Amino acid sequence: MTTFPDGFLWGAATAAHQVEGGNVNNDHWELEHLPHSPFAEPSGDACDSWHRWPEDLDLVAGAGLNTYRFSLEWSRIEPAEGEFSRAALDHYRRIVDGCRDRGLTPIVTLVHFTMPRWLMHDGGWTDARTGDRLARFTEFAAPALADAGYVATINEPNLMAVQPVLAGMAMRGEPINGLPLPDQGVAEALIGLHGRSMEVLRGAGSPPAGMTLVGLEYLAEGGAVERMQAARAAMMDQFLQAAAGDDFLGLQVYTTSRIGPDGVVAPPSDRQTLAHGMERRPQALGAAVRYAAEALPGTPLLVTENGIATADDEDRIRFTTDALQGLAEVIAAGADVRGYVHWSLLDNFEWMLGFRPTFGLVAVDRKTFARTPKPSLAWLGGVAKRNGL
């Protein structure tokens, strides 16, 4: 049997806008309802987890997992600039407490892609005032997170820097066969915002804090090594450098990026998952973790997302088995990895792709919100109970 380190965290993840429903006051809700929206459909009620979060936690704990990752929705906590909702913050405090009551370690993300509408209409991520605004939000939220196991500042800032490019491609009807390079101005702004949030968290005596990044396995095709290295530097290296000195780094790994002489090389159609353009490649997890461990020696790592968009749950188990085997090999080689959190707990709203991609360990009826655990949930719970494959 392949075993993992003592105290290893095993969990499942969600994100506020993807599961809560009714987040009418953030930028994504507005974008989802534009006349020519790049979104396949609106998020609507999502999975109604705003009300059903105790049931979600029961599913995680009941399966034998010991960790739950979720995010705050800034637009609920600060619906107008400077106007804070203590009731909304207490909602998230109750989720932290609910995790602890069930023996779950809470991993909480402050910003998971969305921003309040008022921020979108008054500068967005790149505005000079946003650092102060995020610091103020972090300061207000920090007391509710005192009992969290880990706190993440910004979810996938490297992917957030790509989103404006992806949205433009979608609006123009261009095919998306892989990740384009980030918008460098947005990347630099988000790195700065992470730093401001970290300052506040450390001043507040926060639990271990850091960022989470999309981790990719980079492969050079046709001898395009320099082009591959340049793409990896833009998407990974500058963000890894920004994470140096943080308490931990979260890695969210799904796939590989193949770079050829002419740019991104799309995978064959028979290797693409339900998330378009994403190659089914479980080996990417070990490769991305190895690269981050070498780049940040001494920084603890968490796999804060890993999974596959598929309607075939048996393949989800096969994929995750192979991914975890690769992760175990990297840990055996010396990488300091503290846990593995699967994406996702629920079949949920997958941003511009809508509800079609199914990443969940649990199916959700779109009309009744009934949760139906898939065999993969019990399987992953068994891995957690054994602490090994």
Side-chain angles (χ1 to χ4, degrees):
M1 186 173 78
T2 299
T3 58
F4 287 79
D6 291 342
F8 200 76
L9 298 179
W10 294 97
T14 61
H17 189 69
Q18 294 179 264
V19 299
E20 286 181 348
N23 278 324
V24 301
N25 204 31
N26 71 32
D27 60 330
H28 279 64
W29 185 279
E30 184 167 327
L31 295 172
E32 290 160 24
H33 292 84
L34 290 175
H36 301 288
S37 174
F39 287 78
E41 58 188 316
S43 54
D45 287 325
C47 302
D48 192 34
S49 289
W50 180 260
H51 301 104
R52 299 169 194 263
W53 64 266
E55 183 179 354
D56 296 341
L57 296 190
D58 288 343
L59 286 166
V60 176
L65 301 173
N66 59 26
T67 302
Y68 180 62
R69 177 175 176 241
F70 68 99
S71 72
L72 310 184
E73 175 53 48
W74 185 354
S75 69
R76 287 187 186 263
I77 295 171
E78 191 179 3
E81 184 173 10
E83 180 180 318
F84 289 93
S85 170
R86 296 191 178 277
L89 185 63
D90 283 345
H91 169 87
Y92 294 111
R93 189 195 308 265
R94 287 192 294 274
I95 298 178
V96 172
D97 292 344
C99 286
R100 291 299 186 185
D101 291 344
R102 292 165 175 82
L104 301 173
T105 296
I107 300 174
V108 188
T109 304
L110 288 170
V111 174
H112 195 118
F113 289 158
T114 61
M115 71 177 86
R117 285 198 197 200
W118 59 262
L119 180 57
M120 177 178 69
H121 290 293
D122 194 29
W125 299 125
T126 57
D127 190 271
R129 298 165 292 175
T130 302
D132 289 340
R133 290 161 163 171
L134 179 59
R136 181 180 60 196
F137 168 65
T138 304
E139 183 176 17
F140 182 77
L145 309 182
D147 290 328
Y150 293 88
V151 177
T153 57
I154 300 175
N155 179 75
E156 300 179 347
N158 53 345
L159 183 57
M160 288 173 69
V162 172
Q163 283 180 319
V165 184
L166 286 173
M169 293 172 68
M171 293 284 279
R172 294 188 297 271
E174 298 176 13
I176 299 173
N177 294 317
L179 287 179
L181 294 181
D183 179 301
Q184 189 56 29
V186 177
E188 292 172 1
L190 290 167
I191 288 170
L193 293 176
H194 164 71
R196 291 296 304 276
S197 193
M198 285 294 295
E199 288 175 9
V200 174
L201 290 170
R202 285 186 163 147
S206 163
M211 70 169 77
T212 69
L213 293 177
V214 165
L216 290 160
E217 174 192 29
Y218 274 87
L219 297 174
E221 301 278 354
V225 175
E226 289 186 4
R227 185 156 189 166
M228 179 277 287
Q229 291 173 338
R232 187 172 60 190
M235 191 69 181
M236 291 298 303
D237 294 354
Q238 63 175 323
F239 293 92
L240 290 171
Q241 291 167 9
D246 290 352
D247 302 322
F248 79 99
L249 173 71
L251 287 169
Q252 311 193 164
V253 186
Y254 294 93
T255 191
T256 188
S257 184
R258 297 179 184 273
I259 307 295
D262 298 321
V264 176
V265 177
S269 59
D270 63 352
R271 254 189 274 162
Q272 293 189 20
T273 71
L274 287 178
H276 61 208
M278 192 177 285
E279 178 177 345
R280 185 197 185 284
R281 189 167 168 84
Q283 303 95 313
L285 178 60
V289 170
R290 181 182 296 107
Y291 186 79
E294 292 172 354
L296 292 176
T299 299
L301 305 176
L302 280 172
V303 177
T304 40
E305 290 181 22
N306 173 249
I308 181 173
T310 179
D312 181 350
D313 197 55
E314 291 183 3
D315 193 45
R316 176 173 290 104
I317 293 172
R318 288 193 296 270
F319 177 93
T320 310
T321 299
D322 292 344
L324 287 173
Q325 186 63 50
L327 180 64
E329 291 169 4
V330 174
I331 293 172
D336 182 6
V337 183
R338 306 291 176 89
Y340 172 89
V341 182
H342 193 83
W343 183 269
S344 63
L345 176 63
L346 306 173
D347 287 341
N348 58 32
F349 180 73
E350 285 295 335
W351 309 107
M352 285 193 289
L353 299 177
F355 290 93
R356 179 175 171 270
T358 46
F359 281 93
L361 301 168
V362 178
V364 180
D365 187 291
R366 295 288 310 284
K367 294 181 180 178
T368 67
F369 307 110
R371 272 79 164 139
T372 303
K374 303 175 188 178
S376 55
L377 177 63
W379 172 83
L380 187 60
V383 174
K385 292 171 187 175
R386 294 188 303 273
N387 199 34
L389 291 168

